[in-house]
């Protein structure tokens, strides 16, 4: 599978602040759809949402991402990983750091981790 890459317009050489501004705009739009909604969270809904976010960030089809594909092999570099993490934290009200993407480097493992965090939070509530 070819490595996905972001394609910037040739006339635009983005700075780090430009990239993060773009990420912030994406996240604001995504978070807006989730705010105030009561949603039943299951491992399948987590896996589905994570797969869709990965596909959006990597500019690929959701069918190209299997549960056991390594994020790195899929093309998730440190900048895209941070974008993915920010969306994950925003959508599920988490406070994970970037290490979670590397400590749980597949969709299956990250889903299990997120489910565990959310389950522990529900028990503590």
């Amino acid at each position: 599978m070819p490595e996905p890459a972001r394609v910037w317009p040739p006339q635009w050489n983005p700075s780090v602040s430009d990239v993060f501004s773009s990420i912030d705009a994406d996240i604001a739009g995504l978070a807006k759809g989730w705010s105030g909604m009561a949603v039943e969270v299951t491992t399948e809904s987590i896996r589905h949402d994570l797969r869709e976010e990965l596909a959006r960030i990597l500019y690929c089809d959701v069918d190209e991402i299997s549960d056991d594909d390594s994020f790195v092999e899929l093309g998730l570099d440190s900048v895209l990983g941070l974008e993915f993490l920010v969306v994950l934290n925003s959508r599920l009200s988490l406070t994970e750091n970037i290490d979670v993407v590397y400590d749980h480097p597949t969709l299956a493992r990250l889903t299990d981790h997120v489910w565990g965090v959310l389950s522990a939070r529900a028990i503590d509530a």
Side-chain angles (χ1 to χ4, degrees):
M1 172 172 23
E3 186 168 301
R6 288 215 175 212
V7 179
W8 301 106
Q11 70 277 9
W12 186 50
N13 186 8
S15 68
V16 170
S17 63
D18 292 332
V19 172
F20 283 105
S21 294
S22 173
I23 292 170
D24 289 343
D26 287 347
I27 291 165
L30 292 169
K32 183 177 179 183
W34 280 64
S35 61
M37 292 175 48
V39 177
E40 181 180 343
V41 178
T42 65
T43 56
E44 284 309 310
S45 68
I46 293 169
R47 186 180 341 273
H48 175 267
D49 289 348
L50 293 180
R51 188 184 320 274
E52 286 199 344
E53 282 309 313
L54 275 173
R56 184 186 66 78
I57 290 167
L58 296 172
Y59 294 99
C60 69
D61 191 87
V62 292
D63 296 335
E64 295 177 48
I65 301 171
S66 77
D67 290 353
D68 298 316
D69 286 340
S70 161
F71 295 145
V72 172
E73 289 173 3
L74 289 168
L76 195 73
D77 61 19
S78 58
V79 173
L80 297 177
L82 182 58
E83 180 178 353
F84 180 55
L85 176 69
V86 171
V87 171
L88 169 72
N89 282 338
S90 175
R91 278 202 165 180
L92 297 171
S93 301
L94 299 174
T95 57
E96 298 294 323
N97 64 41
I98 192 63
D99 293 336
V100 74
V101 175
Y102 300 105
D103 292 342
H104 309 281
T106 66
L107 188 61
R109 289 181 57 190
L110 185 58
T111 298
D112 290 344
H113 171 74
V114 169
W115 177 252
V117 170
L118 294 176
S119 296
R121 185 169 59 187
I123 291 170
D124 291 342

